[in-house]
Amino acid sequence: MDVIAVGTGTIDVIHEVDMYPKEDSKTRSLASYKCRGGNAANALVVCSQLGGRCRWLSTSTDPENDSDAKFIHADLAAFNVDCSLAVIEKEGSMPVSYIVSSQATGSRTIVHSHTIAELTYEAFVRQVEPYMTQDTNVWLHFEGRNMETVRQMMLYVRENAARAKVSVEIEFPRYPWGLAKTLASLADYVFLSKDYLYNNVCISNASDFFAQIQRQQWGENWNQWVKAFVCPWGSEGVYYLEMAGSTIHHIPSAQLDRVVESNGAGDSFIGAALAGLSRGNVPLHVVFKTACHVATFKCSQHGFHLPTRKVLEWKRALQYFKQANDTNAVTSNNHQGQANAESVVPTEHSVTSEVVLELDRAECRSRTDTDSFSVFVVPLLPTFTEDDDGDVIVPRRKTKTQRDTETVFVLAAHSRTTWDTAGTQLWRAAFLLAEYIYSAPEVFAGHTVLEFGCGIGFTAIVASRVSRCIYATDLDESALLLAKKNIERNHSGDVKLRLLDWGESSLISTAVDSSATLFGWTSTDRVELEDLTVIIASDVFYDDTMTLVFLRALRRLMLQHNRAKGYVASERRSVFSAAAMRVVSLGYDTFQDHICLHSSSKSHVRVTENQVQCRLCALSHPRNADGDILRFVVHEIETREIPRRFKYDRLATLMLWKIDAVVV
């Protein structure tokens, strides 16, 4: 379901100091930087990275005319957060928070400036009206600010959208509990900060607050809507009260050796919680435990960008669950307590590549449930060419050794996996990319090649037979282990297997020398990659969020190596989206949205071999917080002209693109 957060997006101006200055004194800033902030905006950025479909609803100045608004909109868009619901105001300016962050304690002090008008009830109704039906699944999260108006908004949702879920965060001390509790009574999930409870309710621990809720201390009807009260409690973790059963739970958080930045930790907790809760059937214990992990990790870094390895780990934790003793029973957020949560096990939603049905399986090795693979025989089909007279040239018969090593691939791969380890299977797009390598050896001959998401190493083996060397990279170490087996079993050239996290901003150029690990980068690698000219990838478009992560990584690598071109093969998979009420192609549509379609002769200026400036892209597409445009100049390669070299179904939905340049 869509997650709509109603709340501010701000400009945060952060000054880091070694310790807080005394009153009426001066201190030097150790570092100063500007970033996008705001409770709702921060939560959406985290929620989106964990798989949520997120939309931001607030007032905003016009991003076409105001640089601060443009900065905020571009940053949210970079995290796949939709800003189309924002209500444009002609007067005022975007909110600005001036933050002093102490390195000694990791805490921060905020001075906030807010001159733009608050979102009105009438504007809210106009923007959310398409969602207000009895059948629409939507999640609305409210910042507990401008409370009289927010209460009207929440009542409107309750009266018009029976299936909508509502959450609210209460943390602003200027609003009394007598008003805040009227919002809480209308929400499914209520998030309260410990500072608010201490300052406004005069309660110093969550248990006392929950006890008063259970005793109906304040006379509110909590049972009509409220499923749980949730109190993040800093380094202690989170306490929450489930109204069904009146059970109180505590989930401790991991301890950090050093807090880098605590600003936004609570927003990260809420964002991760929304990602889990909006799935509809993940036990609360799992949701809030994952949210604690995310919030703790946020305190160890600057900003809200989560590394890909962690995102995959947390997304898997938030996958669907089922009762261990009943494979058909799905747990419910409404009635699942900690005791039951500990008795559930993940449902392994498996995926299977259709191509395995088209291959001969030589053997199947099963040692454990987590380390089982099949061995597939993949013959290389012969090609037929004609001489000047039009006669077919019959290939010379090869020796048995040549046939075994050059015309037959023997590949270890899994037949069925969960989605996050799907790279250990063999997919059709890898065959198409391998066939292109055979058909255009001049593109790869003598070149240094890097492959994103190499999986079991099939295309890397093919590319190594014509290239100078290839760096086959993947985030999944189990895939690299299978690739290592396949490289040893098949005739190949110089293949180097390396771990690569697409989400790491530095990628390779500043990678730490980790040659002590099996798949770590070395200083020699960095020198050799200075000659990188070809980047390949297959079947990397399957999820909108991860597609954006891939495109950003591809852009960074092409900017670092300004002669490098990309070749990407993918299969377009279409599904019907109930939210969009149309057929969508996850990942593929996102890729298409980032292609520059403007005429090269009229709007492009070539900067380097793989970088262009596009006058029309600069006018029509927002830049992100770093001033970048995520756009590519792409040419689709006609697959019908590529000779068939493998036995598989080459569907019309299989496509191959040359990434010629990035737009700068």
Side-chain angles (χ1 to χ4, degrees):
M1 65 173 70
D2 283 2
V3 177
I4 302 174
V6 182
T8 57
T10 70
I11 296 292
D12 284 355
V13 180
I14 301 173
H15 296 284
E16 292 185 14
V17 296
D18 55 356
M19 61 181 64
Y20 283 121
K22 296 180 180 179
E23 186 176 352
D24 197 25
S25 66
K26 180 186 291 186
T27 190
R28 183 176 294 276
S29 173
L30 301 177
S32 299
Y33 50 94
K34 181 176 95 169
C35 60
R36 188 260 326 124
N39 291 22
N42 290 341
L44 287 176
V45 162
V46 173
C47 182
S48 177
Q49 291 178 83
L50 297 179
R53 296 199 307 268
C54 299
R55 310 191 74 179
W56 177 55
L57 174 51
S58 181
T59 53
S60 169
T61 52
D62 189 346
E64 295 294 326
N65 302 318
D66 179 61
S67 60
D68 283 347
K70 183 177 182 179
F71 182 89
I72 291 170
H73 283 241
D75 187 83
L76 289 172
F79 287 99
N80 213 25
V81 176
D82 186 284
C83 300
S84 61
L85 293 179
V87 177
I88 303 302
E89 295 286 344
K90 296 181 179 180
E91 298 182 357
S93 58
M94 295 303 292
V96 180
S97 292
Y98 299 92
I99 302 171
V100 179
S101 177
S102 168
Q103 288 193 351
T105 63
S107 58
R108 78 283 188 272
T109 297
I110 302 174
V111 179
H112 186 66
S113 170
H114 191 116
T115 62
I116 194 171
E118 295 281 6
L119 182 69
T120 65
Y121 170 75
E122 292 75 18
F124 170 82
V125 170
R126 286 197 304 271
Q127 299 303 85
V128 302
E129 187 175 7
Y131 292 91
M132 295 298 106
T133 70
Q134 298 303 308
D135 300 321
T136 301
N137 286 314
V138 64
W139 193 291
L140 286 116
H141 176 75
F142 294 89
E143 281 184 16
R145 55 184 302 114
N146 192 21
M147 285 191 176
E148 294 87 349
T149 303
V150 168
R151 185 172 185 275
Q152 287 182 282
M153 297 175 184
M154 295 173 73
L155 282 170
Y156 173 77
V157 174
R158 288 306 185 197
E159 292 168 358
N160 293 278
R163 300 181 65 178
K165 297 297 183 184
V166 176
S167 57
V168 64
E169 59 181 282
I170 298 172
E171 70 163 43
F172 299 105
R174 64 181 177 275
Y175 297 104
W177 174 240
L179 181 58
K181 66 186 178 70
T182 64
L183 270 64
S185 66
L186 293 170
D188 293 281
Y189 295 91
V190 184
F191 298 89
L192 298 109
S193 73
K194 67 173 184 177
D195 289 340
Y196 184 89
L197 291 178
Y198 182 79
N199 293 317
N200 292 55
V201 194
C202 299
I203 288 178
S204 59
N205 63 77
S207 297
D208 288 349
F209 173 71
F210 294 152
Q212 295 196 41
I213 290 290
Q214 291 170 320
R215 292 197 300 267
Q216 297 288 323
Q217 179 76 22
W218 295 289
E220 292 290 333
N221 180 12
W222 304 118
N223 293 316
Q224 182 177 4
W225 299 109
V226 181
K227 309 296 188 301
F229 287 91
V230 187
C231 297
W233 218 261
S235 60
E236 293 184 32
V238 62
Y239 297 86
Y240 66 97
L241 166 67
E242 279 190 285
M243 298 304 291
S246 296
T247 51
I248 298 174
H249 308 287
H250 172 229
I251 299 175
S253 62
Q255 299 302 307
L256 288 175
D257 294 332
R258 176 174 174 264
V259 175
V260 174
E261 182 184 71
S262 62
N263 185 44
D267 302 333
S268 298
F269 177 91
I270 291 175
L274 293 177
L277 293 171
S278 62
R279 289 176 179 263
N281 62 350
V282 186
L284 293 186
H285 177 73
V286 176
V287 170
F288 297 137
K289 183 177 181 180
T290 303
C292 275
H293 289 322
V294 174
T296 301
F297 184 85
K298 166 64 190 79
C299 293
S300 70
Q301 66 168 28
H302 293 292
F304 293 87
H305 174 76
L306 305 175
T308 307
R309 187 187 302 274
K310 286 292 185 181
V311 168
L312 291 174
E313 173 188 327
W314 292 325
K315 286 175 77 170
R316 185 173 187 184
L318 295 176
Q319 280 183 331
Y320 295 98
F321 277 67
K322 65 179 180 179
Q323 294 286 355
N325 60 352
D326 183 359
T327 58
N328 296 316
V330 180
T331 60
S332 167
N333 276 334
N334 300 351
H335 307 290
Q336 187 67 32
Q338 181 173 358
N340 287 340
E342 293 174 348
S343 68
V344 299
V345 295
T347 300
E348 296 295 336
H349 284 273
S350 60
V351 292
T352 302
S353 170
E354 301 90 341
V355 77
V356 301
L357 303 176
E358 303 158 12
L359 301 175
D360 294 326
R361 189 176 305 188
E363 54 185 301
C364 183
R365 298 180 180 177
S366 299
R367 291 189 291 275
T368 68
D369 288 341
T370 58
D371 187 20
S372 61
F373 59 86
S374 300
V375 178
F376 297 95
V377 177
V378 182
L380 179 65
L381 303 179
T383 56
F384 296 96
T385 57
E386 297 178 350
D387 60 19
D388 294 338
D389 297 326
D391 297 323
V392 173
I393 300 175
V394 179
R396 183 181 297 274
R397 183 181 180 88
K398 296 185 177 182
T399 66
K400 182 179 185 302
T401 302
Q402 288 176 314
R403 289 198 301 272
D404 288 345
T405 60
E406 295 181 13
T407 63
V408 174
F409 294 87
V410 182
L411 301 171
H414 290 294
S415 301
R416 181 187 297 267
T417 65
T418 52
W419 70 270
D420 55 327
T421 56
T424 59
Q425 296 189 56
L426 189 57
W427 299 91
R428 287 194 181 107
F431 282 107
L432 178 61
L433 183 57
E435 288 176 328
Y436 177 72
I437 294 170
Y438 275 118
S439 70
E442 68 281 359
V443 173
F444 304 89
H447 290 277
T448 299
V449 181
L450 183 140
E451 182 177 13
F452 278 115
C454 69
I456 66 168
F458 173 50
T459 50
I461 293 170
V462 174
S464 73
R465 295 182 176 183
V466 293
S467 65
R468 186 171 71 84
C469 72
I470 177 168
Y471 283 84
T473 71
D474 207 292
L475 179 64
D476 184 0
E477 192 163 354
S478 64
L480 292 176
L481 288 170
L482 277 178
K484 184 173 182 292
K485 293 178 186 292
N486 292 327
I487 291 167
E488 293 168 351
R489 188 187 290 250
N490 296 275
H491 168 71
S492 63
D494 187 5
V495 184
K496 297 178 173 64
L497 297 170
R498 297 291 184 263
L499 282 167
L500 183 66
D501 186 340
W502 300 347
E504 292 293 337
S505 59
S506 58
L507 280 181
I508 299 162
S509 60
T510 57
V512 176
D513 190 335
S514 53
S515 55
T517 63
L518 183 59
F519 303 120
W521 294 92
T522 69
S523 55
T524 304
D525 295 337
R526 295 196 291 275
V527 173
E528 195 167 44
L529 281 168
E530 291 178 1
D531 296 325
L532 178 65
T533 50
V534 180
I535 302 167
I536 61 174
S538 63
D539 239 325
V540 290
F541 303 148
Y542 54 88
D543 171 271
D544 290 339
T545 301
M546 292 309 298
T547 298
L548 281 174
V549 174
F550 166 75
L551 292 177
R552 293 189 193 110
L554 177 63
R555 185 182 194 277
R556 291 197 298 274
L557 200 59
M558 291 181 70
L559 290 177
Q560 291 170 11
H561 305 276
N562 57 24
R563 293 187 298 129
K565 308 281 186 171
Y567 295 87
V568 179
S570 189
E571 182 175 348
R572 180 178 183 176
R573 300 176 178 89
S574 299
V575 296
F576 180 78
S577 168
M581 292 303 293
R582 61 183 176 87
V583 174
V584 299
S585 299
L586 297 177
Y588 173 87
D589 290 344
T590 299
F591 171 63
Q592 293 294 309
D593 289 342
H594 291 81
I595 293 177
C596 171
L597 301 176
H598 305 124
S599 169
S600 59
S601 61
K602 295 181 180 179
S603 58
H604 288 179
V605 175
R606 182 73 62 168
V607 178
T608 68
E609 196 168 330
N610 70 354
Q611 298 170 34
V612 301
Q613 291 178 339
C614 177
R615 176 176 55 84
L616 295 178
C617 279
L619 293 174
S620 59
H621 297 290
R623 294 180 180 269
N624 63 18
D626 297 323
D628 298 329
I629 300 176
L630 190 60
R631 287 291 182 278
F632 298 87
V633 177
V634 172
H635 303 294
E636 186 171 354
I637 296 172
E638 180 54 68
T639 58
R640 287 178 297 182
E641 298 178 1
I642 301 174
R644 295 290 300 270
R645 302 303 307 273
F646 299 102
K647 181 184 176 183
Y648 71 105
D649 288 338
R650 188 192 283 182
L651 305 176
T653 52
L654 280 170
M655 301 176 183
L656 178 64
W657 298 275
K658 178 183 179 182
I659 314 296
D660 187 64
V662 295
V663 177
V664 296

